[in-house]
């Protein structure tokens, strides 16, 4: 039991970070970023190269993942989403663009890093064994704690910094935010960069545990969208709830249904459909709060 | 008196709608000017043109002698033009405090000076102090209106644009809001452009007024004269008591 909860929390923290990035981009720009999983993969490979191959400290690699993805996010917003949003008021335009970016990043990642599964040396050795009730390797604990700290930092930043407040204002009322002097272009760019950065950071964190391969971008995007469906799009608390619920469901499912083959995700998908039919806006469905 | 804002011969279009047809109006320093007219006359369009939310297709806008049409909204806020938009537009999931702080977003002076403005706004609208930590979306319509006026004052504006502050608000509170507009104009030396459908209130608290119908200014003059004007009575004051 404790073991299942511990696994769920560890997984949930990673998932929540992924969902936060996706929901931030959605809240600010009304863009569904289908390329979110690919950004995660890119972040994973940056850490793989810098920590795994060049042998620099893990923290340096993680920061490099963050900076690279922030830059990629900013460039994508400036040169792709911004002109499209300016020219077209139809929502599918940005969706199709996001899908195209996902395909493109998939191809780039495959070309640069090949299709092999890549892993890196453990960041910490040893295993915590608490009375055989929770058995967890120290590196997982460290990665879990790191993820929770980043979530906390993100929330504090959104809540108390001037930039965070401006992004919330923009998400809640675009026109009023403009009248306060918030530059839509600049803050959309910052938001997109932060969203992409969060995806890249989780990629960097998880490469140390599960490794990374060029094909997992799509599946990660799917999970990110599921979390947002559970929690409600564009809401911080919803993204966090969605992340932890999915992490917990996965952890419980893998334990409970271990005898029945790979049915966990089948059951999660089925429950999600029923849930959405009843509550399409998700648990906390409301604009950014 | 010096002209603070001069709006001359402006045309404004939305796709196929010709919303302003050569509108000219002027606001002097220290004045409260009312802009009255029926639904769809183009009042909000004038405010959108002044704040840079929507471009004019011809004509000119000058503020403090400088040409400002074509400038983006954030520049104009920095120059001292603040607007309270139609329908209030609070940030519904942010606290009253954060809403007010957003009003000071474009200011570059010190935290202490922002704090001083915040205190003066809270003194002017004590109700906001009681609701300080509450989400703005949960306030009553009247409280929201006070909050967005406060939010605009947080920018320390020279020119305050108010778009129908009495809309959907209880008569008793309309009185309060009217009084605060007079007080703001008098105490803080803020010039005010007041757009209203409650023409009687607007004419009572303003120095001068413009009346519009469908994209054009049809009457202008001192507010106390317009209050007695038969055409104004027939067109804008009828039915409302
Ligand atoms: N975004 C828009 N797109 C198209 N037409 C618009 C838009 N906004 C306003 N209009 C049209 O422009 C004209 C002027 O509108 P405006 O909002 O300036 O009027 P108003 O005097 O503020 O009216 P109200 O008292 O109802 O607020 C109207 O005919 C309106 O239908
Ligand atoms: Mg209007």
């Amino acid at each position: 039991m404790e073991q299942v909860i511990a696994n769920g929390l560890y997984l949930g923290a990673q998932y929540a970070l992924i969902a936060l990035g996706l929901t931030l981009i959605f809240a600010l720009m009304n863009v569904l970023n289908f390329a979110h999983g690919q950004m995660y993969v890119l972040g994973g490979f940056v850490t793989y190269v810098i920590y795994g191959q060049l042998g620099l400290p893990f923290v340096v690699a993680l920061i490099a993942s963050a900076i690279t993805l922030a830059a990629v996010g900013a460039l994508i917003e400036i040169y792709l989403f911004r002109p499209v949003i300016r020219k077209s008021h139809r929502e599918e335009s940005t969706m199709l663009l996001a899908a195209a970016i996902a395909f493109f990043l998939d191809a780039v990642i495959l070309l640069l890093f090949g299709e092999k599964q890549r892993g890196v040396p453990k960041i910490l050795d040893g295993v915590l064994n608490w009375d055989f009730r929770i058995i967890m390797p120290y590196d997982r604990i460290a990665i879990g704690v790191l993820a929770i700290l980043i979530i906390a930092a993100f929330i504090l930043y959104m809540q108390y910094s001037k930039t965070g407040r401006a992004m919330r204002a923009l998400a809640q009322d675009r026109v009023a935010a403009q009248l306060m002097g918030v530059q839509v272009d600049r803050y959309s760019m910052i938001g997109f960069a932060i969203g992409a950065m969060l995806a890249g950071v989780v990629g960097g964190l998880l490469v140390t545990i599960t490794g990374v391969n060029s094909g997992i971008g799509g599946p990660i995007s799917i999970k990110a969208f599921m979390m947002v469906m559970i929690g409600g799009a564009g809401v911080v608390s919803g993204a966090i709830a969605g992340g932890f619920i999915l992490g917990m469901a996965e952890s419980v499912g893998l334990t409970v249904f271990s005898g029945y083959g790979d049915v966990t995700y089948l059951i999660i998908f089925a429950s999600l459909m029923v849930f959405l039919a009843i509550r399409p806006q998700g648990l906390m469905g409301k604009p950014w709060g | 008196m010096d002209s603070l804002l001069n709006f001359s011969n402006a045309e404004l279009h939305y796709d196929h709608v010709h919303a302003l047809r050569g509108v000219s109006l002027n606001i002097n320093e220290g004045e409260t000017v009312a802009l009255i007219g029926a639904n769809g006359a183009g009042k909000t369009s004038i405010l959108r043109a002044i704040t840079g939310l929507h471009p004019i297709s011809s004509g000119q806008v000058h503020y403090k002698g400088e040409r400002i049409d074509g400038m983006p909204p954030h520049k104009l806020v920095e120059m001292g033009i603040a607007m309270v938009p139609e329908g209030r537009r609070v940030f519904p999931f942010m606290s009253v405090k954060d809403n007010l702080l957003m009003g000071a977003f474009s200011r570059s002076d010190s935290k202490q000076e922002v704090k001083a403005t915040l205190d003066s706004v809270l003194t002017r609208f004590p109700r906001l102090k009681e609701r300080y930590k509450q989400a703005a979306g949960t306030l009553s319509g009247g409280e929201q209106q006070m909050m967005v006026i406060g939010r605009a004052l947080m920018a320390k504006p020279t020119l305050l644009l108010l778009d129908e502050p009495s809309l959907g608000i209880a008569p008793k509170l309309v009185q309060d809001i009217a009084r605060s507009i007079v007080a703001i104009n008098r105490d803080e030396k803020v010039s005010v452009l007041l757009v209203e459908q409650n023409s009687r209130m607007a004419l009572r608290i303003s120095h001068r007024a413009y009346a519009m119908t469908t994209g054009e200014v049809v009457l202008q003059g001192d507010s106390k004269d317009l209050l007695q004007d038969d055409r104004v009575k027939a067109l804008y004051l009828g039915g409302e008591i």
Side-chain angles (χ1 to χ4, degrees), chain A residues 162 168 172-173 179 183, chain B residues 74 77 89 91 93 98 105:
Chain A
K162 193 171 174 184
R168 281 188 289 143
Q172 288 175 29
D173 195 314
L179 288 173
Q183 288 167 260
Chain B
H74 70 94
V77 189
R89 287 182 173 270
F91 301 116
F93 304 106
D98 281 359
F105 181 78

Side-chain angles (χ1 to χ4, degrees), chain A residues 1-237:
Chain A
M1 185 60 199
E2 289 89 342
Q3 182 69 44
V4 174
I5 292 176
N7 287 342
L9 283 178
Y10 151 78
L11 216 52
Q14 316 297 328
Y15 285 176
L17 265 184
I18 296 177
L20 276 176
L22 188 68
T23 220
L24 175 66
I25 291 172
F26 177 76
L28 284 180
M29 309 178 59
N30 217 7
V31 163
L32 285 171
N33 182 25
F34 291 110
H36 213 63
Q38 281 72 17
M39 294 176 168
Y40 163 100
V41 175
L42 211 51
F45 275 115
V46 170
T47 293
Y48 162 74
V49 168
I50 291 181
Y51 170 64
Q53 299 214 293
L54 302 179
L56 292 169
F58 173 64
V59 178
V60 174
L62 198 59
I63 291 170
S65 285
I67 293 173
T68 309
L69 267 294
V72 168
L75 292 175
I76 288 178
E77 196 283 322
I78 295 171
Y79 292 108
L80 297 171
F81 283 102
R82 190 177 298 181
V84 167
I85 290 171
R86 193 157 294 160
K87 287 192 199 108
S88 164
H89 291 285
R90 302 180 65 102
E91 289 185 350
E92 68 268 25
S93 306
T94 58
M95 282 194 219
L96 295 174
L97 172 62
I101 294 169
F103 301 148
F104 170 75
L105 288 181
D106 260 339
V108 169
I109 291 164
L110 192 61
L111 197 68
L112 288 178
F113 302 104
E115 55 190 54
K116 271 230 223 53
Q117 170 79 13
R118 305 289 186 176
V120 297
K122 275 174 151 331
I123 54 165
L124 287 171
D125 285 321
V127 175
L128 171 91
N129 183 344
W130 179 51
D131 215 10
F132 288 97
R133 283 199 274 181
I134 297 180
I135 298 173
M136 201 176 229
Y138 286 131
D139 58 349
R140 275 191 193 229
I141 296 173
I143 294 297
V145 169
L146 220 48
I148 289 172
L149 289 177
I150 296 171
I151 293 172
F154 174 79
I155 292 173
L156 292 175
Y157 181 72
M158 290 304 290
Q159 204 57 38
Y160 296 108
S161 75
K162 193 171 174 184
T163 309
R165 211 183 295 126
M167 286 195 279
R168 281 188 289 143
L170 195 56
Q172 288 175 29
D173 195 314
R174 250 181 138 63
V175 171
Q178 276 177 283
L179 288 173
M180 306 295 108
V182 176
Q183 288 167 260
V184 174
D185 282 352
R186 173 190 290 186
Y187 285 87
S188 298
M189 190 261 284
I190 293 174
F192 209 102
I194 293 177
M197 182 184 83
L198 289 177
V201 165
V202 190
L205 288 173
L206 280 185
V207 71
T208 67
I209 311 284
T210 52
V212 61
N213 79 67
S214 51
I216 56 168
I220 293 286
S221 287
I222 292 175
K223 284 189 185 177
F225 277 92
M226 289 171 65
M227 297 181 260
V228 168
M229 289 170 197
I230 295 170
V235 205
V236 169
S237 54

Side-chain angles (χ1 to χ4, degrees), chain B residues 155-217:
Chain B
K156 270 202 160 177
T158 310
L159 174 61
L160 178 63
L161 312 174
L162 297 164
D163 200 347
E164 305 205 27
S166 76
L167 194 73
I169 284 169
K172 157 118 188 31
L173 278 177
V174 172
Q175 292 262 330
D176 288 350
I177 285 170
R179 268 190 222 109
S180 357
I181 295 169
V182 172
I184 288 163
N185 171 250
R186 191 188 50 216
D187 309 340
E188 326 239 343
K189 311 268 176 288
V190 177
S191 308
V192 177
L193 177 58
L194 171 65
V195 167
E196 262 303 337
Q197 288 205 37
N198 186 337
S199 314
R200 195 180 300 274
M201 181 271 265
L203 291 176
R204 279 200 185 125
I205 66 172
S206 57
H207 305 106
R208 287 189 308 115
Y210 294 85
M212 292 184 78
T213 49
T214 54
E216 285 170 278
V217 169

Side-chain angles (χ1 to χ4, degrees), chain B residues 86-99:
Chain B
E86 190 173 350
R88 305 189 282 270
R89 287 182 173 270
V90 302
F91 301 116
F93 304 106
M94 284 165 76
S95 63
V96 169
K97 177 187 180 192
D98 281 359
N99 266 273

